[in-house]
Amino acid sequence: DADVTQTPRNRITKTGKRIMLECSQTKGHDRMYWYRQDPGLGLRLIYYSFDVKDINKGEISDGYSVSRQAQAKFSLSLESAIPNQTALYFCATAKGSDTGELFFGEGSRLTVL
Amino acid sequence: GQNIDQPTEMTATEGAIVQINCTYQTSGFNGLFWYQQHAGEAPTFLSYNVLDGLEEKGRFSSFLSRSKGYSYLLLKELQMKDSASYLCAVIDSNYQLIWGAGTKLIIKP
């Protein structure tokens, strides 16, 4: 089983719908991240969390919200999805180090029609 | 602004050697990562450089020159399974990770 699990893996939805992407990890890491990946662009950070009570905005947080329900769970929500949020979303974890490598989930492909 | 440049796509032959370059302009530097990403899959860690010089790990090596804002990933004895995108990422002075768009490497028989 994957150490970092994302659900759903694929989702097609309509404009205006609320969508939640979930991430759970068994690595015991404190740090969790949500990224989106678009063709031709680097990974862009949406939100990150260094522990259960810590939530931080990334470079593209508008239109998104997150919840850190437990050390192992970090969810990303799109309150009202729009077509330009169509992308591949990755959850990642890291140990408690500013220079630690990231461990990625398998990705959630979201299409907003 | 912060910027990381990598070639968009490269082609190489099975068994050969390929060098993928990465240049960066960031506000400070606290390390550089290389990740491999197969199509439709998650990125996986390849290497981390924080000091100048070459880090070798099997068929893969990564080089860093901080004064030049430059790194490269060297892949030797290329195999078909090395066909993937290679992502360069830099940790800036605020310990934020800045990602390049990635280099798609195509290996031909």
Side-chain angles (χ1 to χ4, degrees):
Chain A
D1 289 339
D3 294 323
V4 183
T5 303
Q6 294 183 229
T7 56
R9 296 291 313 280
N10 288 283
R11 181 72 183 269
I12 299 174
T13 191
K14 295 181 178 180
T15 298
K17 293 292 187 180
R18 183 177 187 273
I19 296 297
M20 179 180 287
L21 306 179
E22 298 184 331
C23 177
S24 62
Q25 52 116 346
T26 58
K27 300 190 75 67
H29 289 167
D30 287 325
R31 299 186 177 199
M32 297 188 74
Y33 305 79
W34 275 105
Y35 284 94
R36 68 176 279 176
Q37 188 175 43
D38 299 275
L41 298 178
L43 287 162
R44 291 184 292 167
L45 183 62
I46 305 171
Y47 272 96
Y48 63 101
S49 169
F50 284 176
D51 64 42
V52 175
K53 297 181 180 180
D54 176 72
I55 300 289
N56 304 282
K57 293 183 177 181
E59 63 177 299
I60 56 163
S61 59
D62 287 350
Y64 302 94
S65 63
V66 290
S67 173
R68 185 81 183 266
Q69 301 95 323
Q71 187 209 33
K73 295 185 182 295
F74 193 37
S75 300
L76 176 72
S77 293
L78 289 68
E79 295 301 325
S80 179
I82 56 177
N84 76 1
Q85 291 178 312
T86 293
L88 183 58
Y89 290 85
F90 285 104
C91 174
T93 72
K95 293 182 181 179
S97 165
D98 287 329
T99 57
E101 67 179 273
L102 296 178
F103 296 84
F104 287 85
E106 295 168 311
S108 296
R109 185 168 296 280
L110 176 65
T111 302
V112 184
L113 302 176
Chain B
Q2 308 207 83
N3 194 51
I4 295 182
D5 288 317
Q6 307 178 232
T8 302
E9 186 174 296
M10 299 181 69
T11 302
T13 303
E14 189 177 17
I17 299 173
V18 71
Q19 177 175 310
I20 302 174
N21 295 325
C22 170
T23 58
Y24 61 89
Q25 300 90 37
T26 57
S27 57
F29 177 86
N30 281 297
L32 183 145
F33 288 100
W34 284 97
Y35 282 77
Q36 180 190 60
Q37 185 179 23
H38 286 100
E41 298 183 9
T44 55
F45 171 81
L46 286 178
S47 67
Y48 172 68
N49 294 68
V50 65
L51 299 176
D52 291 350
L54 188 68
E55 295 279 343
E56 297 185 81
K57 191 183 295 184
R59 294 189 297 114
F60 292 8
S61 303
S62 56
F63 172 83
L64 175 67
S65 169
R66 289 173 295 171
S67 63
K68 296 182 178 178
Y70 169 69
S71 173
Y72 68 72
L73 181 69
L74 190 71
L75 291 73
K76 302 177 183 177
E77 301 170 14
L78 287 170
Q79 301 175 10
M80 298 303 293
K81 67 178 183 179
D82 297 330
S83 292
S85 289
Y86 293 85
L87 314 181
C88 175
V90 171
I91 306 171
D92 71 8
S93 58
N94 294 317
Y95 292 94
Q96 298 297 310
L97 197 55
I98 312 301
W99 293 85
T103 298
K104 182 178 180 181
L105 178 63
I106 299 168
I107 309 297
K108 295 186 175 180

